[in-house]
Short mmCIF file of all heavy atoms in Angstrom, two decimals:
data_model
loop_
_atom_site.label_atom_id
_atom_site.label_comp_id
_atom_site.label_asym_id
_atom_site.label_seq_id
_atom_site.Cartn_x
_atom_site.Cartn_y
_atom_site.Cartn_z
N ILE A 263 0.84 -1.20 0.00
CA ILE A 263 0.00 0.00 0.00
C ILE A 263 0.87 1.25 0.00
O ILE A 263 0.64 2.20 -0.76
CB ILE A 263 -0.94 -0.01 1.22
CG1 ILE A 263 -2.00 -1.10 1.06
CG2 ILE A 263 -1.60 1.35 1.42
CD1 ILE A 263 -2.83 -1.33 2.30
N LEU A 264 1.90 1.25 0.88
CA LEU A 264 2.78 2.41 0.97
C LEU A 264 3.51 2.65 -0.34
O LEU A 264 3.59 3.79 -0.83
CB LEU A 264 3.79 2.20 2.11
CG LEU A 264 4.81 3.32 2.36
CD1 LEU A 264 4.11 4.60 2.78
CD2 LEU A 264 5.83 2.89 3.41
N PHE A 265 4.04 1.58 -0.94
CA PHE A 265 4.81 1.73 -2.17
C PHE A 265 3.93 2.16 -3.33
O PHE A 265 4.35 2.97 -4.17
CB PHE A 265 5.53 0.42 -2.51
CG PHE A 265 6.89 0.31 -1.88
CD1 PHE A 265 7.01 0.21 -0.50
CD2 PHE A 265 8.03 0.33 -2.64
CE1 PHE A 265 8.25 0.13 0.09
CE2 PHE A 265 9.29 0.25 -2.06
CZ PHE A 265 9.41 0.15 -0.68
N PHE A 266 2.71 1.65 -3.42
CA PHE A 266 1.85 2.02 -4.54
C PHE A 266 1.50 3.50 -4.49
O PHE A 266 1.65 4.22 -5.48
CB PHE A 266 0.57 1.18 -4.53
CG PHE A 266 -0.39 1.58 -5.63
CD1 PHE A 266 -0.21 1.12 -6.92
CD2 PHE A 266 -1.45 2.45 -5.37
CE1 PHE A 266 -1.08 1.51 -7.94
CE2 PHE A 266 -2.33 2.83 -6.37
CZ PHE A 266 -2.14 2.36 -7.66
N PHE A 267 1.03 3.96 -3.34
CA PHE A 267 0.56 5.34 -3.25
C PHE A 267 1.69 6.36 -3.17
O PHE A 267 1.56 7.47 -3.69
CB PHE A 267 -0.36 5.51 -2.04
CG PHE A 267 -1.73 4.94 -2.24
CD1 PHE A 267 -2.04 3.67 -1.79
CD2 PHE A 267 -2.71 5.67 -2.89
CE1 PHE A 267 -3.31 3.13 -1.98
CE2 PHE A 267 -3.98 5.15 -3.08
CZ PHE A 267 -4.27 3.88 -2.63
N LYS A 268 2.80 5.98 -2.54
CA LYS A 268 3.86 6.96 -2.33
C LYS A 268 4.98 6.86 -3.36
O LYS A 268 5.59 7.87 -3.72
CB LYS A 268 4.44 6.80 -0.92
CG LYS A 268 5.35 7.95 -0.51
CD LYS A 268 5.58 7.97 0.98
CE LYS A 268 6.39 9.20 1.40
NZ LYS A 268 6.52 9.30 2.86
N TYR A 269 5.26 5.63 -3.83
CA TYR A 269 6.42 5.44 -4.70
C TYR A 269 6.07 4.84 -6.06
O TYR A 269 6.98 4.59 -6.86
CB TYR A 269 7.45 4.53 -4.01
CG TYR A 269 7.85 5.00 -2.64
CD1 TYR A 269 7.36 4.36 -1.49
CD2 TYR A 269 8.69 6.09 -2.46
CE1 TYR A 269 7.71 4.79 -0.23
CE2 TYR A 269 9.04 6.53 -1.21
CZ TYR A 269 8.55 5.88 -0.09
OH TYR A 269 8.90 6.32 1.16
N GLY A 270 4.78 4.61 -6.31
CA GLY A 270 4.40 3.97 -7.57
C GLY A 270 4.88 4.73 -8.78
O GLY A 270 5.50 4.16 -9.70
N HIS A 271 4.61 6.03 -8.82
CA HIS A 271 5.02 6.85 -9.96
C HIS A 271 6.54 6.88 -10.08
O HIS A 271 7.10 6.76 -11.17
CB HIS A 271 4.46 8.27 -9.80
CG HIS A 271 4.65 9.12 -11.00
ND1 HIS A 271 4.57 10.50 -10.96
CD2 HIS A 271 4.96 8.81 -12.29
CE1 HIS A 271 4.79 10.98 -12.17
NE2 HIS A 271 5.03 9.98 -12.99
N PHE A 272 7.22 7.03 -8.97
CA PHE A 272 8.68 7.10 -8.95
C PHE A 272 9.31 5.81 -9.47
O PHE A 272 10.21 5.83 -10.32
CB PHE A 272 9.14 7.39 -7.52
CG PHE A 272 10.62 7.42 -7.32
CD1 PHE A 272 11.38 8.46 -7.82
CD2 PHE A 272 11.26 6.41 -6.60
CE1 PHE A 272 12.75 8.50 -7.63
CE2 PHE A 272 12.62 6.44 -6.40
CZ PHE A 272 13.38 7.48 -6.92
N ILE A 273 8.81 4.67 -8.99
CA ILE A 273 9.35 3.37 -9.42
C ILE A 273 9.06 3.13 -10.89
O ILE A 273 9.95 2.71 -11.65
CB ILE A 273 8.76 2.24 -8.55
CG1 ILE A 273 9.24 2.37 -7.11
CG2 ILE A 273 9.15 0.87 -9.11
CD1 ILE A 273 8.55 1.43 -6.14
N ALA A 274 7.81 3.38 -11.31
CA ALA A 274 7.44 3.15 -12.71
C ALA A 274 8.25 4.02 -13.66
O ALA A 274 8.70 3.56 -14.73
CB ALA A 274 5.94 3.42 -12.89
N GLU A 275 8.46 5.26 -13.28
CA GLU A 275 9.21 6.19 -14.13
C GLU A 275 10.67 5.76 -14.28
O GLU A 275 11.22 5.76 -15.38
CB GLU A 275 9.12 7.60 -13.54
CG GLU A 275 9.66 8.69 -14.45
CD GLU A 275 9.47 10.07 -13.84
OE1 GLU A 275 10.28 10.43 -12.96
OE2 GLU A 275 8.51 10.76 -14.22
N ASN A 276 11.30 5.39 -13.16
CA ASN A 276 12.71 4.96 -13.22
C ASN A 276 12.85 3.62 -13.93
O ASN A 276 13.82 3.39 -14.65
CB ASN A 276 13.28 4.87 -11.80
CG ASN A 276 13.64 6.23 -11.23
OD1 ASN A 276 14.72 6.76 -11.46
ND2 ASN A 276 12.70 6.82 -10.48
N TRP A 277 11.89 2.73 -13.71
CA TRP A 277 11.89 1.43 -14.40
C TRP A 277 11.80 1.64 -15.91
O TRP A 277 12.53 0.99 -16.69
CB TRP A 277 10.72 0.60 -13.90
CG TRP A 277 10.71 -0.82 -14.41
CD1 TRP A 277 10.13 -1.27 -15.55
CD2 TRP A 277 11.32 -1.96 -13.78
NE1 TRP A 277 10.31 -2.63 -15.68
CE2 TRP A 277 11.05 -3.08 -14.62
CE3 TRP A 277 12.05 -2.15 -12.62
CZ2 TRP A 277 11.48 -4.36 -14.31
CZ3 TRP A 277 12.48 -3.44 -12.32
CH2 TRP A 277 12.21 -4.51 -13.15
N ALA A 278 10.94 2.55 -16.33
CA ALA A 278 10.79 2.83 -17.76
C ALA A 278 12.06 3.43 -18.34
O ALA A 278 12.48 3.10 -19.47
CB ALA A 278 9.60 3.76 -17.97
N ASN A 279 12.70 4.32 -17.59
CA ASN A 279 13.94 4.94 -18.08
C ASN A 279 15.07 3.93 -18.21
O ASN A 279 15.87 4.00 -19.15
CB ASN A 279 14.36 6.07 -17.13
CG ASN A 279 13.42 7.26 -17.18
OD1 ASN A 279 12.73 7.47 -18.19
ND2 ASN A 279 13.36 8.03 -16.11
N ILE A 280 15.15 2.99 -17.26
CA ILE A 280 16.23 2.00 -17.28
C ILE A 280 16.08 1.05 -18.46
O ILE A 280 17.06 0.74 -19.16
CB ILE A 280 16.26 1.21 -15.95
CG1 ILE A 280 16.69 2.12 -14.80
CG2 ILE A 280 17.21 0.01 -16.04
CD1 ILE A 280 16.55 1.48 -13.42
N PHE A 281 14.86 0.60 -18.73
CA PHE A 281 14.64 -0.42 -19.75
C PHE A 281 14.08 0.15 -21.05
O PHE A 281 13.70 -0.60 -21.95
CB PHE A 281 13.70 -1.50 -19.21
CG PHE A 281 14.30 -2.30 -18.09
CD1 PHE A 281 13.98 -2.01 -16.78
CD2 PHE A 281 15.20 -3.32 -18.36
CE1 PHE A 281 14.54 -2.75 -15.73
CE2 PHE A 281 15.75 -4.07 -17.32
CZ PHE A 281 15.43 -3.77 -16.01
N GLY A 282 14.03 1.48 -21.14
CA GLY A 282 13.59 2.11 -22.37
C GLY A 282 12.13 1.87 -22.69
O GLY A 282 11.74 1.79 -23.87
N LEU A 283 11.31 1.76 -21.66
CA LEU A 283 9.89 1.52 -21.85
C LEU A 283 9.13 2.84 -21.89
O LEU A 283 9.64 3.89 -21.49
CB LEU A 283 9.34 0.64 -20.73
CG LEU A 283 10.05 -0.71 -20.53
CD1 LEU A 283 9.48 -1.40 -19.30
CD2 LEU A 283 9.88 -1.59 -21.76
N VAL A 284 7.90 2.78 -22.33
CA VAL A 284 7.04 3.95 -22.34
C VAL A 284 6.40 4.08 -20.97
O VAL A 284 5.68 3.15 -20.53
CB VAL A 284 5.94 3.84 -23.42
CG1 VAL A 284 5.03 5.07 -23.37
CG2 VAL A 284 6.57 3.71 -24.80
N PRO A 285 6.67 5.17 -20.24
CA PRO A 285 6.10 5.30 -18.89
C PRO A 285 4.59 5.45 -18.92
O PRO A 285 4.00 5.85 -19.93
CB PRO A 285 6.76 6.57 -18.34
CG PRO A 285 7.14 7.36 -19.55
CD PRO A 285 7.46 6.35 -20.62
N ALA A 286 3.96 5.08 -17.82
CA ALA A 286 2.51 5.23 -17.72
C ALA A 286 2.11 6.69 -17.82
O ALA A 286 2.88 7.59 -17.47
CB ALA A 286 2.02 4.64 -16.39
N SER A 287 0.92 6.91 -18.32
CA SER A 287 0.43 8.27 -18.47
C SER A 287 0.37 8.98 -17.11
O SER A 287 -0.05 8.37 -16.12
CB SER A 287 -0.96 8.25 -19.10
OG SER A 287 -1.56 9.53 -19.04
N PRO A 288 0.79 10.26 -17.05
CA PRO A 288 0.69 11.00 -15.78
C PRO A 288 -0.73 11.04 -15.24
O PRO A 288 -0.93 11.11 -14.02
CB PRO A 288 1.18 12.40 -16.16
CG PRO A 288 2.05 12.20 -17.36
CD PRO A 288 1.43 11.05 -18.10
N ASP A 289 -1.71 10.99 -16.15
CA ASP A 289 -3.11 11.01 -15.69
C ASP A 289 -3.44 9.80 -14.82
O ASP A 289 -4.27 9.88 -13.92
CB ASP A 289 -4.06 11.05 -16.90
CG ASP A 289 -3.93 12.35 -17.68
OD1 ASP A 289 -3.50 13.34 -17.07
OD2 ASP A 289 -4.23 12.35 -18.88
N PHE A 290 -2.76 8.66 -15.12
CA PHE A 290 -3.01 7.47 -14.32
C PHE A 290 -2.59 7.68 -12.88
O PHE A 290 -3.30 7.33 -11.95
CB PHE A 290 -2.26 6.28 -14.91
CG PHE A 290 -2.32 5.04 -14.04
CD1 PHE A 290 -3.44 4.24 -14.03
CD2 PHE A 290 -1.25 4.70 -13.21
CE1 PHE A 290 -3.50 3.11 -13.22
CE2 PHE A 290 -1.30 3.59 -12.40
CZ PHE A 290 -2.43 2.79 -12.41
N TRP A 291 -1.41 8.29 -12.67
CA TRP A 291 -0.90 8.48 -11.31
C TRP A 291 -1.54 9.68 -10.63
O TRP A 291 -1.66 9.71 -9.40
CB TRP A 291 0.62 8.65 -11.35
CG TRP A 291 1.31 7.41 -11.80
CD1 TRP A 291 1.90 7.17 -13.00
CD2 TRP A 291 1.44 6.19 -11.05
NE1 TRP A 291 2.40 5.90 -13.05
CE2 TRP A 291 2.14 5.27 -11.87
CE3 TRP A 291 1.04 5.78 -9.77
CZ2 TRP A 291 2.45 3.99 -11.46
CZ3 TRP A 291 1.34 4.51 -9.34
CH2 TRP A 291 2.03 3.62 -10.18
N ASN A 292 -1.94 10.68 -11.41
CA ASN A 292 -2.54 11.87 -10.81
C ASN A 292 -3.88 11.59 -10.14
O ASN A 292 -4.31 12.35 -9.27
CB ASN A 292 -2.73 12.97 -11.87
CG ASN A 292 -1.40 13.56 -12.33
OD1 ASN A 292 -0.40 13.46 -11.62
ND2 ASN A 292 -1.39 14.16 -13.51
N GLN A 293 -4.53 10.48 -10.56
CA GLN A 293 -5.83 10.17 -9.95
C GLN A 293 -5.66 9.57 -8.55
O GLN A 293 -6.62 9.49 -7.78
CB GLN A 293 -6.60 9.20 -10.85
CG GLN A 293 -5.95 7.82 -10.97
CD GLN A 293 -6.74 6.89 -11.88
OE1 GLN A 293 -7.96 6.90 -11.85
NE2 GLN A 293 -6.03 6.10 -12.67
N TRP A 294 -4.42 9.16 -8.21
CA TRP A 294 -4.16 8.59 -6.89
C TRP A 294 -3.45 9.62 -6.03
O TRP A 294 -2.27 9.89 -6.20
CB TRP A 294 -3.30 7.33 -7.00
CG TRP A 294 -3.90 6.27 -7.85
CD1 TRP A 294 -3.56 5.96 -9.13
CD2 TRP A 294 -4.97 5.39 -7.50
NE1 TRP A 294 -4.35 4.95 -9.61
CE2 TRP A 294 -5.22 4.57 -8.62
CE3 TRP A 294 -5.73 5.22 -6.34
CZ2 TRP A 294 -6.20 3.59 -8.61
CZ3 TRP A 294 -6.70 4.23 -6.34
CH2 TRP A 294 -6.94 3.43 -7.47
N LEU A 295 -4.18 10.21 -5.10
CA LEU A 295 -3.58 11.18 -4.19
C LEU A 295 -2.73 10.46 -3.16
O LEU A 295 -2.95 9.28 -2.86
CB LEU A 295 -4.67 11.99 -3.49
CG LEU A 295 -5.61 12.80 -4.39
CD1 LEU A 295 -6.70 13.44 -3.53
CD2 LEU A 295 -4.86 13.87 -5.15
N LEU A 296 -1.75 11.17 -2.62
CA LEU A 296 -0.94 10.60 -1.54
C LEU A 296 -1.74 10.70 -0.24
O LEU A 296 -1.99 11.80 0.25
CB LEU A 296 0.38 11.35 -1.42
CG LEU A 296 1.30 10.89 -0.28
CD1 LEU A 296 1.72 9.45 -0.49
CD2 LEU A 296 2.51 11.81 -0.16
N PRO A 297 -2.15 9.58 0.34
CA PRO A 297 -2.94 9.63 1.59
C PRO A 297 -2.14 10.29 2.72
O PRO A 297 -0.99 9.93 2.98
CB PRO A 297 -3.21 8.16 1.90
CG PRO A 297 -3.08 7.45 0.59
CD PRO A 297 -2.01 8.20 -0.15
N VAL A 298 -2.75 11.25 3.37
CA VAL A 298 -2.10 11.95 4.46
C VAL A 298 -1.76 10.98 5.58
O VAL A 298 -2.59 10.17 5.98
CB VAL A 298 -3.01 13.08 4.99
CG1 VAL A 298 -2.45 13.66 6.28
CG2 VAL A 298 -3.15 14.18 3.95
N GLY A 299 -0.52 11.06 6.08
CA GLY A 299 -0.11 10.26 7.23
C GLY A 299 0.17 8.81 6.93
O GLY A 299 0.43 8.03 7.86
N ILE A 300 0.18 8.41 5.65
CA ILE A 300 0.34 6.99 5.33
C ILE A 300 1.69 6.45 5.79
O ILE A 300 1.79 5.30 6.23
CB ILE A 300 0.14 6.74 3.81
CG1 ILE A 300 0.10 5.24 3.52
CG2 ILE A 300 1.22 7.44 2.99
CD1 ILE A 300 -0.30 4.90 2.10
N SER A 301 2.74 7.28 5.75
CA SER A 301 4.05 6.82 6.20
C SER A 301 4.08 6.55 7.69
O SER A 301 4.81 5.68 8.16
CB SER A 301 5.12 7.87 5.86
OG SER A 301 5.19 8.09 4.47
N PHE A 302 3.27 7.29 8.43
CA PHE A 302 3.27 7.14 9.88
C PHE A 302 2.45 5.93 10.33
O PHE A 302 2.92 5.10 11.11
CB PHE A 302 2.76 8.43 10.54
CG PHE A 302 3.68 9.59 10.39
CD1 PHE A 302 3.54 10.48 9.34
CD2 PHE A 302 4.71 9.80 11.29
CE1 PHE A 302 4.40 11.55 9.18
CE2 PHE A 302 5.58 10.87 11.15
CZ PHE A 302 5.43 11.75 10.09
N TYR A 303 1.22 5.81 9.82
CA TYR A 303 0.40 4.72 10.35
C TYR A 303 0.84 3.36 9.81
O TYR A 303 0.65 2.34 10.49
CB TYR A 303 -1.10 4.97 10.16
CG TYR A 303 -1.65 4.95 8.76
CD1 TYR A 303 -1.80 3.78 8.04
CD2 TYR A 303 -2.13 6.13 8.16
CE1 TYR A 303 -2.36 3.76 6.77
CE2 TYR A 303 -2.69 6.13 6.89
CZ TYR A 303 -2.81 4.94 6.21
OH TYR A 303 -3.37 4.93 4.95
N THR A 304 1.43 3.29 8.62
CA THR A 304 1.94 2.00 8.14
C THR A 304 3.16 1.57 8.96
O THR A 304 3.30 0.39 9.30
CB THR A 304 2.31 2.05 6.65
OG1 THR A 304 3.16 3.18 6.39
CG2 THR A 304 1.09 2.13 5.78
N PHE A 305 4.03 2.50 9.31
CA PHE A 305 5.19 2.17 10.14
C PHE A 305 4.75 1.72 11.53
O PHE A 305 5.34 0.80 12.11
CB PHE A 305 6.13 3.38 10.24
CG PHE A 305 7.23 3.36 9.20
CD1 PHE A 305 7.00 2.86 7.94
CD2 PHE A 305 8.49 3.86 9.49
CE1 PHE A 305 7.99 2.85 6.97
CE2 PHE A 305 9.51 3.84 8.54
CZ PHE A 305 9.25 3.33 7.29
N GLN A 306 3.73 2.36 12.07
CA GLN A 306 3.24 1.95 13.39
C GLN A 306 2.66 0.54 13.34
O GLN A 306 2.90 -0.28 14.23
CB GLN A 306 2.18 2.93 13.89
CG GLN A 306 2.74 4.27 14.29
CD GLN A 306 1.70 5.22 14.85
OE1 GLN A 306 1.96 6.41 15.00
NE2 GLN A 306 0.54 4.72 15.18
N SER A 307 1.90 0.24 12.29
CA SER A 307 1.30 -1.08 12.18
C SER A 307 2.36 -2.15 11.95
O SER A 307 2.28 -3.26 12.50
CB SER A 307 0.28 -1.09 11.03
OG SER A 307 -0.62 -2.16 11.15
#
């Protein structure tokens, strides 16, 4: 959950750059907001 919402765009973009792939459309990632406090409550759990 943490990686998808917080690092999904970052991982997909770097993965595409490394292997010469077409990155996902920014519109796909823009529809997923970063949930407030997700880093804190996932670490606590």
Side-chain angles (χ1 to χ4, degrees):
I263 291 171
L264 180 63
F265 272 67
F266 177 81
F267 284 96
K268 192 164 185 175
Y269 306 105
H271 188 198
F272 177 71
I273 294 171
E275 189 177 80
N276 282 275
W277 187 271
N279 291 336
I280 292 172
F281 293 99
L283 304 175
V284 178
S287 170
D289 294 336
F290 172 79
W291 294 106
N292 290 339
Q293 66 180 321
W294 302 102
L295 300 175
L296 177 63
V298 170
I300 189 172
S301 299
F302 292 93
Y303 68 73
T304 51
F305 267 34
Q306 288 183 193
S307 199

